[in-house]
Amino acid sequence: MQDIRYALRTLRKQPIFTLVAVLTLTLGIGANTAIFSLSYQTLLKPLPYPDADRLVFVWNTYPLMGLQQASVSIPDYIDRKTQAPAIEDATLFMNRRLNLASEGQPEQIRGLAVTPSFFTTLQRQPFLGRAFNEDEARTGADKFAILTYGLWNSRFAADLAIVGRDVRLNGEPYRIVGVLPADFDLPSREVAILVPFSFTPQQMSDQGRGNEFSSMIARLRPGATIAQANAQMKIIVDRNIERLPQRAAFARTSGFGGFAVDIRDELVGDVREQLYVLQGGVILVLLIACANVANLLLMRATGRGRELAIRTTLGAGHWRLARQMLTEGVVLSVIGGVCGLALGLAGVRALIALSERQLPGVVDASLHPVVLAFTIALAVVTGLVFGIVPALAVMRGNTNALLKEDATRGSASRTTGLTRATLVIAEVALALVLLVGAGLLIKSFAQLQNVNPGFSSDNVLTAQLALPATRYADAPARRAFWERLVEKAAALPAVTAAGLTSNVPFNGSVSSGSYSIVGFTPGPTEAAPHGRQEIVGGDYFRAMQIPLIAGRLFNESDTADSAPVVVVDEYLAKRYFANRSALGQQVRRGGPTSPPITIVGVVGTINSIDLGEPVLKERLYYPVSQQSPGSMALVLKTGVDPQSLVSQVRGAVQSLDPEQPIADVRTMDQWVARSLESRRTPMMLLGLFGAVALILSAIGIYGVLAFGVAQRNREFGIRQALGADRQSILSLVLKQGMITAGIGIALGLAGSIALTRYLQSLLFGVGTHDLAVFGGVTVMLLLVAVAACYVPARRATRIDPMETLRDA
C-alpha cells in the first residue's frame, strides 16, 4: 500500500505525463475491450440452448451445378429426421412476411413458420404459455402464434395476460399461445412472431422433392458426429435414387446431397475472420501503446536519477526501487483500464450500430463478466509489461554515481538509450503493419465501389409488399392489385418509372432453380441448367436502367392467357446460345410435360448478391402478369430524393387497400451500402487503428529525440564551440532519428509481407503484396518520422554554446 500511495503522489506531481500515459493506455485497452467483447459474444459465449454443441444446420447441396448450399425440401427433412440414426430430433422452418393489423398503421413483420419440433430440438420453451403441438401444425388448423420478447414489449406493452388472446395476421385471427424469453436467439434476427409450419400431403410426397424453400436444424444424438450424419444422409440419397429412377440422372449430374454444419459456424459465417483481423489489429495498437508508455516511464526514471540515488543511499536496494517502478506502471495501467472499460462499452455500442447485421448475437453485447475479467487482466499484464522496462534499467544502473552530478546534467546510460530506441523501432514496425493492412482494405473497398453492378442505384426507392391470401385468394386478384399499384405509383410526382420485382438486389433474398432448354440435352456428366429466377412487372428494367441487349421487354400483350414468355440475361445467352440468337428459343421450368416458355428478350447481366464475387449464375425474368406471386417489391425511379416519396408511396398503397402495409422501405443506394457493411467495418476500424498507431509512433520518435537532445545539451554546446555549424547539428540529430525509424520500417515491411496474407479473404481486386500500398505507406511513415525528428533536431541547433559552457 505504501508503494501505491507513493506512486499516486508522484503521478499527481506530473499531471501532463500522467494524462498522456493514461490516455494512451485508455485507447489501447478500450479498443481491445470493445473488440474482445464482440469476439466473445459472437465466437465464445455459450449459445442459449442446452448441449448446443450437438446442434447443426442441415443443407442440401448441388456442387456440380455450382450450388454449394441450398435450402431443404419437406421430403428431405422427413427422410433425415426419421432415417438418419445420428439425428435425435430435427425441425424445419421458413421465413414469412405477415401483415399485423392493430391500432394505428398496419405493419408488415417478419414471421418464422416452425414445426412443433422446433422447441424440442432447441430444448427451449416459451417463458409465457406453451409451445405448438402437432395438432396445431395441420393445414387449416394452424392459426396459432408465439410472440418474440421484442414484439411482446413493443406492440403489447409486456402484457402478462396476452396468452389466449387473438392477433390479426394477414386478415385472420391467430390465437397467441406463448411468448419467447428475451435470450431466445432465433436463426433470423428480424423475426417478430412464430407460427406453425404445416405440411400438405402433396408437399410431403415425392412430388415435393426439389421444392426447396426451408431451413433445417437437427440435434445429434449424444456421441454422434457431423461426419456420421453426413455419411447417413448420403445413404438416404442413394436409397432414394434407387427408389426414384426418374430423379436419378438429375441427382447424379448435379451431385445432389446433404451436409451438416455446426450451428455456431453457420451463424458466425465470415464474421469469424473479420473479428480475428480486428482483434489482431487492436493487439498491435496495445503493444504500441505499451511501448510508448514504457518509453515515457523510462525517460521519467532517467530524469529521476538523483532521487533514486538518494533513496539508494538511504538504504533502498535495487529491488525496492524496481518494485516502485513496477507499482507505478501497474497503477497507471489500472487507471487506464478503468477508463478503457468506459471507452470499450461505448465502442461496443458504436460497433453494433455500424454493423449489427453482420455480427450475429451481439445486439445485447455488453461488458460481460468474462469481458470485465479480460480487461482487468489486460490492464495488470500491460502495467507489468511496460513497468518492467524502467525497473530493469534501475536495477542495472549505477545510481550512486548520480550523486556526484547535478540532476540537470544527468544523462541516460548507453543501455537505457538503446532500450528507448528499441521501443521506438517496435512502435514504428507495428504501426507500419497496421497501416499496410488498412491501406490494402481501403484500396480493396475503393475497387469494390467501382464495380458496375449492371444497373443504376441512383434515385431508386424500393418497398416490400406481401398480399394476404384471405383477401387475395386467387391469381386474378393478385394480378389486379399489382397492375393498379404500378399505375398508382407511376402517377406519383417525380416518379419517372415504376416497376415490380420478386428479388430486390442485395436484400439477401435469392431465388434460384433448375430449368431445361428445349432442344438442348446436357452431356452424361453435365448438370442441368440452373439459374436465378425472378418475377418482374411494370417498367422494372427502365427503373433499374438494366439495358436491353436484344429483342423486347414485357408488354401489355403478355397476359395470363397468352403464351408464356421470359426475358433472360446476357450471361445465359452467351453460355447456351453463343453461336445463335437466344430470341425465340424456349425453356421449361418443370419436367418435359411442362409448358414451354419463349425467350423474347435479352438484357444486361447484373450482380445482385455480392459485388466482391463474379456472376456465376444466369438470370431468368418472368412477367408478373403470368406468375402472380403474393409478395413483390415496388421499385421506383425518381427525379428527386427517393426518401421524400415514402409517405406518398404509403398513401398510394393504402388507397388501394387500407390494411396493406409496406416494409423494407430503402433506397437502392442503401441496399448496396448494406451489402458492403461486412467489408466497410473492418476497413474503417483497421484504418482508425492505423491512424492511432501512426500518431503514437510519431509521439514516440519525437519523445525519444526530444529527451535525447535535452540530455545532450552540453555535447551540442561543445560541438558548436569547436566549430560545428547548425546544419551539421541538425543532420546529426535527424540521422539518429531516421536510422531508428528506418530500422522500424524495414522490420515492419518484413512483418507486413508475412502477416497480410491473413487479409486475403477480405480483399477484392488487390493483392496482399500490392506495391502501391506498401510504397505509399512507407513514404507516409517516413514523412511522419522526418516531421517528428525535425522539431527536436531544430531545437538542438538553437542551443547557445556560451550558456551551456557557463553552466558546465
Side-chain angles (χ1 to χ4, degrees), residues 515-716:
Y515 65 98
S516 61
I517 299 174
V518 177
F520 169 75
T521 302
T525 60
E526 187 178 359
H530 185 274
R532 312 297 180 199
Q533 311 279 347
E534 188 168 347
I535 301 171
V536 300
D539 282 336
Y540 174 73
F541 297 107
R542 190 159 68 90
M544 296 291 288
Q545 295 187 9
I546 299 173
L548 177 66
I549 306 298
R552 67 172 177 86
L553 302 177
F554 302 128
N555 56 40
E556 295 178 354
S557 66
D558 301 317
T559 66
D561 300 322
S562 64
V565 293
V566 63
V567 169
V568 302
D569 69 355
E570 194 174 15
Y571 186 98
L572 185 150
K574 289 182 177 179
R575 181 174 184 178
Y576 292 108
F577 306 105
N579 300 319
R580 53 183 172 149
S581 172
L583 300 179
Q585 304 296 328
Q586 294 181 319
V587 301
R588 299 181 192 270
R589 294 192 67 181
T593 60
S594 62
I597 307 173
T598 303
I599 298 174
V600 297
V602 178
V603 296
T605 300
I606 69 169
N607 187 335
S608 66
I609 300 173
D610 186 350
L611 290 177
E613 297 292 336
V615 176
L616 299 175
K617 288 283 183 184
E618 60 267 30
R619 189 176 296 264
L620 298 90
Y621 301 91
Y622 304 96
V624 67
S625 58
Q626 295 182 341
Q627 301 295 323
S628 305
S631 178
M632 294 287 280
L634 184 64
V635 180
L636 303 179
K637 183 73 171 181
T638 72
V640 296
D641 178 11
Q643 295 280 15
S644 65
L645 296 179
V646 173
S647 61
Q648 297 179 54
V649 171
R650 184 173 285 110
V653 171
Q654 293 186 358
S655 70
L656 298 175
D657 184 344
E659 295 185 16
Q660 179 62 51
I662 59 176
D664 283 341
V665 182
R666 290 185 174 92
T667 67
M668 201 63 245
D669 284 334
Q670 289 173 328
W671 283 118
V672 174
R674 191 170 181 252
S675 73
L676 298 176
E677 281 180 6
S678 62
R679 297 176 184 269
R680 181 187 295 105
T681 301
M683 175 203 68
M684 291 174 58
L685 292 177
L686 213 58
L688 177 62
F689 300 155
V692 170
L694 184 65
I695 293 170
L696 291 178
S697 298
I699 292 172
I701 295 171
Y702 169 80
V704 168
L705 282 186
F707 187 77
V709 167
Q711 294 224 316
R712 294 170 66 186
N713 277 355
R714 292 176 62 197
E715 174 193 339
F716 292 137

Side-chain angles (χ1 to χ4, degrees), residues 253-320:
T253 57
S254 64
F256 172 71
F259 69 98
V261 59
D262 179 81
I263 188 171
R264 188 185 291 275
D265 291 341
E266 179 65 33
L267 294 175
V268 170
D270 296 336
V271 173
R272 186 188 303 272
E273 293 184 1
Q274 297 175 28
L275 289 175
Y276 285 160
V277 168
L278 294 178
Q279 193 68 65
V282 292
I283 288 174
L284 293 182
V285 170
L286 182 63
L287 291 175
I288 294 171
C290 286
N292 231 334
V293 176
N295 243 329
L296 288 171
L297 287 172
L298 192 58
M299 290 186 288
R300 180 169 172 267
T302 303
R304 294 166 62 192
R306 188 170 178 83
E307 171 203 337
L308 298 176
I310 293 173
R311 294 184 66 187
T312 301
T313 303
L314 295 176
H318 279 180
W319 167 242
R320 178 69 182 80

Side-chain angles (χ1 to χ4, degrees), residues 72-79 81-82 90-94 96 113-118 133-142 195-205 208 211 213-216:
V72 176
S73 72
I74 291 173
D76 291 330
Y77 158 72
I78 295 173
D79 287 348
K81 183 179 180 181
T82 59
T91 180
L92 197 69
F93 57 93
M94 63 173 291
R96 283 186 179 169
V114 303
T115 59
S117 56
F118 183 79
N133 58 49
E134 293 296 335
D135 290 337
E136 294 166 348
R138 291 183 292 109
T139 303
D142 54 359
V195 295
F197 194 170
S198 57
F199 305 155
T200 66
Q202 183 176 5
Q203 287 175 326
M204 293 188 287
S205 70
N211 193 7
F213 52 83
S214 309
S215 301
M216 177 178 174

Side-chain angles (χ1 to χ4, degrees), residues 4-244:
I4 294 175
R5 286 195 297 269
Y6 183 79
L8 290 172
R9 284 200 304 271
T10 56
L11 291 175
R12 271 200 307 268
K13 290 178 180 178
Q14 296 177 302
I16 295 179
F17 162 81
T18 304
L19 180 63
V20 171
V22 168
L23 286 177
T24 302
L25 290 173
T26 296
L27 196 59
I29 294 175
N32 272 271
T33 300
I35 299 299
F36 178 76
S37 181
L38 294 185
S39 298
Y40 172 77
Q41 294 279 349
T42 305
L43 307 177
L44 303 174
K45 182 181 178 181
L47 294 172
Y49 313 114
D51 300 319
D53 58 318
R54 290 163 50 198
L55 291 174
V56 295
F57 269 84
V58 179
W59 300 102
N60 283 355
T61 181
Y62 299 87
L64 301 182
M65 296 174 62
L67 189 61
Q68 299 301 324
Q69 180 174 304
S71 298
V72 176
S73 72
I74 291 173
D76 291 330
Y77 158 72
I78 295 173
D79 287 348
R80 292 160 188 174
K81 183 179 180 181
T82 59
Q83 299 178 32
I87 294 178
E88 179 180 79
D89 202 354
T91 180
L92 197 69
F93 57 93
M94 63 173 291
N95 287 307
R96 283 186 179 169
R97 295 181 181 271
L98 301 170
N99 295 340
L100 173 64
S102 60
E103 297 179 3
Q105 291 279 358
E107 178 185 5
Q108 186 183 113
I109 60 175
R110 292 290 180 92
L112 198 68
V114 303
T115 59
S117 56
F118 183 79
F119 300 94
T120 56
T121 300
L122 298 180
Q123 294 187 1
R124 293 292 305 275
Q125 295 293 319
F127 87 101
L128 282 181
R130 60 173 176 81
F132 301 130
N133 58 49
E134 293 296 335
D135 290 337
E136 294 166 348
R138 291 183 292 109
T139 303
D142 54 359
K143 301 301 184 285
F144 298 89
I146 295 176
L147 308 180
T148 61
Y149 192 86
L151 184 67
W152 178 61
N153 269 281
S154 63
R155 293 301 295 264
F156 300 97
D159 184 358
L160 294 174
I162 192 70
V163 174
R165 286 168 46 187
D166 287 347
V167 61
R168 291 188 67 79
L169 297 174
N170 287 349
E172 295 186 275
Y174 277 67
R175 178 63 49 86
I176 298 173
V177 298
V179 179
L180 297 181
D183 67 339
F184 199 118
D185 282 351
L186 291 167
S188 184
R189 179 176 301 165
E190 297 174 345
V191 168
I193 197 167
L194 274 59
V195 295
F197 194 170
S198 57
F199 305 155
T200 66
Q202 183 176 5
Q203 287 175 326
M204 293 188 287
S205 70
D206 288 328
Q207 296 179 18
R209 297 187 185 278
N211 193 7
E212 299 164 349
F213 52 83
S214 309
S215 301
M216 177 178 174
I217 292 178
R219 178 175 288 274
L220 301 179
R221 295 187 185 277
T225 65
I226 289 178
Q228 290 173 341
N230 289 342
Q232 292 165 11
M233 283 188 279
K234 185 178 186 305
I235 292 173
I236 294 171
V237 170
D238 293 340
R239 189 184 301 149
N240 282 331
I241 289 177
E242 292 180 6
R243 187 175 63 84
L244 303 168

Side-chain angles (χ1 to χ4, degrees), residues 774-794:
F774 274 72
V777 168
T778 300
V779 170
M780 180 176 65
L781 198 51
L782 280 172
L783 292 175
V784 171
V786 169
C789 293
Y790 181 79
V791 176
R794 183 71 175 172

